[in-house]
Amino acid sequence: PDRRTLVVSGSPVAMRVRAVLVCFTLVVVSACAFETRGVIGASRDSDSSRRAFPLKHADRRASTDLAAHTDLPLARLGNSAHAQGALPVTHFGDEDKFPSDFVFGVATSAFQVEGDGGDRPSSIWDDFADEHGLGNAARQGIRHWEHVRDDVKYMARAGVKHYRFSLSWPRLQHENGEPNEQGYAFYEKLLKALAENGIQPYVTLHHWDLPAKLCGPSSGGVGDGDNDDVENSEKKKDDDNGVENSDKNGVENSEKKCGPVDWRDPRSVAQFTKYATQVFERLGDKVKFWTTLNEPKTVADLGYGAGQHAPGVVSTTAPLVAGHNMLLAHAFAVKAYREKFQETQTGKISINVNSDWREPLDATNEKHVAAAERAMDEQLGWFADPLYFGDYPASMKTRLGEDLPNFTPEESALLKGSTDYFALNHYASQFVVDAELSPANSYLGRPTDWTETSVDSSGTQIGPTGSCHWLTQVPFGLEKTLKLISERYASPETFVTENGVCADGNGGSLDEQLNDETRVNFFNAYLKSTLNAVKQSANVKGYFAWSFFDNFEWADGTAIRFGMVHVDHGGDFGGEWSARRGKESLRNYREFMLGKHSGNGGVTSRMGEETISRLKELREGMDDSFYGVFDWETDRSASEHVEAEAGTESDTVVATTNRNGIAALGASSLGRRGLSDRKSKLGEATTHDSAKEKVADAYAALAAAVEALRQAETSITAPGPRDPEAETLLAQAELVLSQAERPRTDALLATAEQVLAVAKRDDAVAHGALDVRKADATGSVNAFFALDDGANSQNFATNGANRGGYSMDDPLWRNTAKKHLEYFISMKPVWMATVTGVLFGLFLIAIQVACNLARQKGGKACGANEGEVKSLVPGYKKAKASFGKDEGAKYGAK
């Protein structure tokens, strides 16, 4: 080929072009990576809010080689069509009352909220999260370890009286199997805080976070004589089955000195029993409701089958072995509790069985009905039948054959009756269709004689899904599951220990996140179904909403939200990392917790709801910018102040209310009400109740106006000294909000009008040059307060009334501008490198093009056949002459 051609594969021209392109690509990729990290949360894991796996729909008829299923859904269900949306509104009438002893609670788990504070030893979920880019988010959780006392106070302020949580096994046990005193001190502190705030604990011993390292004779410190019966049972079982551990379980049958706890290993039974015994001994006198393990079916299927949860094993048979050992671990832990502790500690114990509902696609088709029954044998019966009958469902034993381990007679007797109540976790439902027995029917590769679908024969979805494609919202599924438990297991006392929905609110802003109507509709619909089951004689005693806080959601990281309290995981909403703010769903569920929908006021009324003074005490010392003020706390303060103005309280009480109550509207991160509230409510009423509204909204108007002016003045889009008039007005207004005297309503409004006028002016100056005044402009004070916009004003007023006002933690004009400026400032080195690299690359390319054009014309300006380096190295000819002809030629060749 002609070397004078402009671009030739392998030529210097091509190599230089490629080098420039590679450099440019690296710089751009670096810039994009920096952008995804964000500015405020730059030190967080860039993947912490991203799903660890793609949410694609697995083909149920695909190959049974699960290792090839790289697109398995992150789901408790194998294949579910995605139908985002929400359930319709469900109303509770006066006749819709739960029994007076019905319990309403909330739930979380250790790994999802605590973080790794206190030097918590690693769990298998730490390792799994690290492998999938979620390590930083997992280690942060929601910083519950650091904030445990105030978190409990926050629950009490929300009306919580019953709280289910789990213990961290790694936190409570050293590698040698001995108790970790620092871990026990943390949980003793938590239990003490719950007792001080009148909250009943419901404790789960283990919720998925197995220790990553235990050492000792049985790889976990077992062998001191306490668990000889466990080890003997395991040895006899293996002898009876005639199978080596490694054949069935996929783990070595050697005496490892150290290693992770693994449910495939029979020694895990003894390891868990020792741990449980230590916990009962140390904490048992403070706990009346125990569960041993959380959702063994999820652990088995997703952890040991699909590989989508820790420990990430992909297998068709390992889930059956792991599930078998989890059942035995439960049985021996219960045996230890009943023999040594239950009589004196007077508690109850169970296991959290998770079961979704399987509905026949055609209820008139006997084959579909029978197939749905077999599906429920696996959904519910796999882990519940051994607890009540001592063995697995007959349909499972027939279908799975020798892949399903057998219980010895002793184990069967130990399992039967090993619960004091039924603890049910329920989320989703699917349709079932009869099918020929085949491994291809299941996304797990386990042979089933049915298939599952979320679409009926007419193409209608069984229910909406919210933010999670697997969580089909089907309220009748919970009702039917509760009725089946009652009928199948002789009406045991039952608690719904988990039920909830992943939903992100109505949009991306903080206010939209807090207005989580999808979750409100979900809870109301599922609670109504629970009540229907109770009315049909199901012995249901309680319901725990999942979850109180937004959590670290396992393989989804922080990408999805289940909580009734919004957690600002990365400080992305203008507050501190992990700041908490109540959502609309919490306000709604609080009515159930406080007994509004229970006979005789429910459990709360008998226990006594916190008095107003007690609620004020709970808030003292808590940071309102981290713990958002609940709107009902703001309303209560306003009510007290109006009563004082009417002469029913002393000036001292008024001053306290003024400072600690309504003044918080201007100082706290939540609870501020827009001036549109004043527009729609003030100046109309003459009754005492309306007077309350007038004073409350006048204070709210002033507080909101102060915040508007403060943010307009500190706007980074208008740097420079403060406007003297603004300085004076701010000082006057803040004095009014904090003074001990009772200002008149008209004075409040007059001050608010003055402050707002200056805020409008300064905001216009700050944003005029940027031309950001659009219909949806996030930087407009006018748009936010909407004083004269009719319907828009009413919309703000309505939303403000629903949630106690719009949050200023996500300032609508300042935060957006600040983030953009911080972004560009932080990216300056990257952009400079990018521009410099591109310009330099273009310069090199231009030189090379000029040289090659010259060559094509026969010129030698750039050096022809002696190498292009000669034309670019100053003094080449001089060096050639000084070295001599031969040396120069050799130099040129190089």
Side-chain angles (χ1 to χ4, degrees):
D2 187 355
R3 287 196 60 190
R4 293 177 298 176
T5 303
L6 180 59
V7 178
V8 179
S9 177
S11 71
V13 180
M15 295 299 291
R16 289 183 182 177
V17 171
R18 288 171 184 161
V20 171
L21 290 176
V22 167
C23 292
F24 176 72
T25 302
L26 289 175
V27 172
V28 172
V29 169
S30 174
C32 293
F34 193 95
E35 180 179 3
T36 60
R37 294 179 72 88
V39 176
I40 297 178
S43 62
R44 283 176 55 85
D45 191 324
S46 62
D47 292 331
S48 63
S49 62
R50 199 175 67 202
R51 288 176 172 82
F53 305 96
L55 292 178
K56 299 178 181 177
H57 304 319
D59 185 354
R60 292 180 177 282
R61 295 168 179 78
S63 166
T64 58
D65 181 9
L66 294 184
H69 284 227
T70 58
D71 60 348
L72 283 172
L74 271 178
R76 300 163 190 250
L77 309 177
N79 184 23
S80 144
H82 198 31
Q84 283 198 355
L87 293 168
V89 175
T90 300
H91 297 285
F92 275 78
D94 293 338
E95 71 283 358
D96 297 321
K97 298 291 186 182
F98 285 89
S100 59
D101 61 348
F102 195 90
V103 166
F104 294 96
V106 297
T108 64
S109 83
F111 188 81
Q112 293 177 269
V113 299
E114 286 179 9
D116 64 352
D119 297 323
R120 170 181 59 77
S122 181
S123 75
I124 63 170
W125 261 100
D126 289 293
D127 296 340
F128 188 82
D130 283 336
E131 292 170 4
H132 295 89
L134 300 170
N136 286 354
R139 278 182 280 275
Q140 175 175 309
I142 66 166
R143 300 165 61 192
H144 180 60
W145 187 87
E146 294 96 321
H147 299 284
V148 59
R149 285 197 178 94
D150 281 347
D151 279 349
V152 172
K153 290 181 181 179
Y154 205 52
M155 291 180 191
R157 288 165 55 185
V160 173
K161 289 295 182 182
H162 305 270
Y163 175 44
R164 175 182 168 240
F165 62 96
S166 73
L167 307 176
S168 169
W169 184 350
R171 192 183 290 282
L172 288 176
Q173 202 173 56
H174 288 297
E175 291 180 3
N176 64 2
E178 294 304 311
N180 184 330
E181 295 302 325
Q182 187 177 21
Y184 277 102
F186 168 73
Y187 289 114
E188 286 168 354
K189 178 169 62 176
L190 170 58
L191 289 167
K192 180 180 179 182
L194 292 171
E196 290 173 347
N197 289 280
I199 300 175
Q200 175 79 48
Y202 295 70
V203 181
T204 299
L205 289 170
H206 172 64
H207 193 132
W208 301 4
D209 50 342
L210 290 171
K213 186 178 181 182
L214 281 181
C215 306
S218 296
S219 303
V222 179
D224 55 5
D226 291 341
N227 297 287
D228 289 343
D229 52 349
V230 183
E231 294 176 331
N232 292 337
S233 172
E234 290 300 330
K235 183 178 185 302
K236 185 177 187 304
K237 179 192 71 175
D238 291 335
D239 292 342
D240 291 343
N241 290 345
V243 179
E244 292 291 335
N245 289 343
S246 59
D247 293 337
K248 288 281 283 185
N249 305 337
V251 292
E252 294 289 333
N253 189 23
S254 61
E255 289 295 328
K256 297 183 296 182
K257 297 301 291 183
C258 297
V261 177
D262 192 325
W263 288 121
R264 294 170 296 171
D265 188 343
R267 291 168 294 188
S268 61
V269 177
Q271 293 167 354
F272 180 75
T273 304
K274 179 172 183 176
Y275 157 68
T277 303
Q278 291 173 348
V279 172
F280 295 143
E281 184 175 8
R282 297 291 296 270
L283 303 178
D285 60 336
K286 303 175 182 67
V287 179
K288 299 304 179 185
F289 291 90
W290 293 100
T291 53
T292 53
L293 304 171
N294 182 76
E295 295 191 7
K297 184 177 185 298
T298 300
V299 174
D301 282 347
L302 295 188
Y304 293 90
Q308 295 175 345
H309 281 187
V313 175
V314 178
S315 171
T316 56
T317 58
L320 304 176
V321 176
H324 191 78
N325 289 328
M326 282 187 276
L327 280 167
L328 292 177
H330 158 78
F332 280 101
V334 171
K335 178 176 183 290
Y337 181 68
R338 287 177 172 173
E339 289 180 351
K340 299 179 181 180
F341 306 104
Q342 191 170 39
E343 183 177 355
T344 57
Q345 295 177 358
T346 65
K348 295 182 178 182
I349 193 165
S350 186
I351 179 174
N352 298 104
V353 174
N354 60 296
S355 175
D356 291 338
W357 178 252
R358 295 296 179 260
E359 179 77 3
L361 183 65
D362 182 357
T364 64
N365 186 316
E366 293 182 359
K367 290 185 177 181
H368 290 348
V369 172
E373 291 175 353
R374 295 192 299 273
M376 286 306 298
D377 281 347
E378 180 161 314
Q379 277 291 321
L380 178 66
W382 180 4
F383 288 94
D385 274 18
L387 306 176
Y388 291 90
F389 308 136
D391 204 357
Y392 295 116
S395 67
M396 286 190 69
K397 298 174 70 174
T398 300
R399 175 166 51 87
L400 299 173
E402 64 179 12
D403 286 340
L404 187 65
N406 296 316
F407 294 114
T408 66
E410 294 81 5
E411 291 167 348
S412 179
L414 200 61
L415 274 164
K416 187 176 181 179
S418 60
T419 61
D420 297 323
Y421 61 95
F422 198 106
L424 171 70
N425 291 6
H426 175 90
Y427 286 93
S429 299
Q430 290 279 80
F431 289 121
V432 167
V433 179
D434 182 60
E436 294 294 326
L437 183 66
S438 171
N441 292 335
S442 169
Y443 78 103
L444 293 163
R446 215 160 45 223
T448 65
D449 49 4
W450 70 86
T451 60
E452 298 174 357
T453 177
S454 60
V455 181
D456 65 15
S457 55
S458 66
T460 302
Q461 297 285 340
I462 193 172
T465 59
S467 303
C468 301
H469 82 284
W470 60 268
L471 206 165
T472 48
Q473 302 171 41
V474 187
F476 72 74
L478 176 56
E479 178 181 343
K480 292 187 175 183
T481 303
L482 290 171
K483 289 165 62 179
L484 178 60
I485 291 171
S486 180
E487 296 164 0
R488 187 164 181 154
Y489 305 120
S491 192
E493 187 178 76
T494 302
F495 289 81
V496 179
T497 44
E498 278 188 34
N499 181 234
V501 67
C502 44
D504 296 332
N506 293 338
S509 73
L510 177 60
D511 286 320
E512 290 167 327
Q513 289 280 312
L514 299 183
N515 187 23
D516 55 340
E517 295 177 1
T518 297
R519 187 170 289 106
V520 171
N521 294 347
F522 177 93
F523 280 137
N524 286 351
Y526 273 80
L527 285 166
K528 193 67 168 289
S529 291
T530 302
L531 180 58
N532 291 340
V534 170
K535 291 180 177 180
Q536 297 176 63
S537 301
N539 190 17
V540 187
K541 295 296 184 181
Y543 176 99
F544 287 77
W546 185 271
S547 64
F548 186 71
F549 295 111
D550 286 335
N551 300 321
F552 172 79
E553 286 298 338
W554 307 110
D556 283 306
T558 57
I560 61 175
R561 297 178 179 273
F562 274 86
M564 293 183 290
V565 171
H566 182 277
V567 175
D568 193 351
H569 291 296
D572 299 323
F573 292 92
E576 184 181 348
W577 279 14
S578 303
R580 290 91 154 106
R581 303 171 179 91
K583 303 180 186 179
E584 181 63 22
S585 57
L586 180 58
R587 169 190 266 276
N588 177 77
Y589 188 64
R590 181 175 183 264
E591 295 183 351
F592 292 91
M593 293 191 291
L594 296 184
K596 179 178 179 179
H597 302 293
S598 299
N600 299 323
V603 175
T604 300
S605 66
R606 293 199 306 275
M607 296 176 67
E609 184 182 356
E610 300 286 0
T611 62
I612 292 177
S613 60
R614 171 60 176 155
L615 290 174
K616 285 182 179 179
E617 291 174 5
L618 289 177
R619 280 190 58 191
E620 290 180 0
M622 295 181 67
D623 181 1
D624 285 346
S625 66
F626 190 81
Y627 291 97
V629 179
F630 297 126
D631 54 355
W632 54 84
E633 294 175 318
T634 302
D635 294 341
R636 184 168 287 158
S637 298
S639 174
E640 290 175 1
H641 180 78
V642 173
E643 290 175 358
E645 191 173 52
T648 58
E649 295 187 23
S650 67
D651 285 350
T652 301
V653 175
V654 174
T656 302
T657 302
N658 187 16
R659 287 193 299 271
N660 296 337
I662 300 172
L665 288 169
S668 69
S669 61
L670 284 178
R672 304 185 186 97
R673 201 181 300 256
L675 283 177
S676 56
D677 277 294
R678 175 188 62 80
K679 195 74 174 179
S680 61
K681 293 181 179 180
L682 293 180
E684 301 175 357
T686 56
T687 64
H688 181 72
D689 287 342
S690 297
K692 293 181 181 181
E693 291 185 3
K694 288 181 67 175
V695 176
D697 289 334
Y699 267 103
L702 179 55
V706 166
E707 186 64 26
L709 179 54
R710 183 184 294 119
Q711 294 192 29
E713 281 297 298
T714 57
S715 171
I716 57 174
T717 61
R722 272 188 172 181
D723 178 3
E725 183 182 359
E727 287 275 16
T728 302
L729 271 178
L730 279 174
Q732 292 176 350
E734 289 169 352
L735 177 63
V736 170
L737 285 173
S738 61
Q739 64 188 353
E741 302 174 0
R742 294 198 302 267
R744 299 198 319 268
T745 300
D746 57 352
L748 289 171
L749 293 178
T751 305
E753 293 285 5
Q754 284 182 290
V755 173
L756 183 64
V758 177
K760 284 181 177 180
R761 183 195 66 197
D762 289 356
D763 184 61
V765 171
H767 292 83
L770 298 177
D771 192 25
V772 295
R773 293 191 174 279
K774 301 178 181 178
D776 60 345
T778 58
S780 172
V781 175
N782 289 336
F784 177 72
F785 291 116
L787 288 177
D788 301 308
D789 286 349
N792 196 25
S793 174
Q794 183 60 42
N795 180 49
F796 279 123
T798 302
N799 287 333
N802 287 342
R803 276 199 314 278
Y806 276 76
S807 166
M808 304 293 278
D809 254 359
D810 187 20
L812 297 184
W813 56 91
R814 183 182 65 179
N815 201 45
T816 300
K818 183 178 180 181
K819 284 189 175 181
H820 279 83
L821 188 59
E822 285 177 338
Y823 168 75
F824 284 116
I825 292 173
S826 64
M827 292 291 286
K828 184 177 180 180
V830 178
W831 293 123
M832 289 179 64
T834 302
V835 173
T836 303
V838 170
L839 292 177
F840 183 67
L842 292 175
F843 172 71
L844 292 178
I845 292 173
I847 292 177
Q848 195 63 60
V849 169
C851 289
N852 280 274
L853 288 174
R855 288 175 189 163
Q856 289 177 355
K857 295 178 179 179
K860 298 199 179 266
C862 293
N865 296 322
E866 293 182 339
E868 290 139 326
V869 175
K870 294 185 298 183
S871 66
L872 301 176
V873 177
Y876 164 73
K877 292 183 178 181
K878 182 178 179 181
K880 182 177 180 180
S882 65
F883 279 113
K885 184 175 182 180
D886 293 337
E887 287 80 358
K890 189 183 299 182
Y891 178 80
K894 291 181 181 179

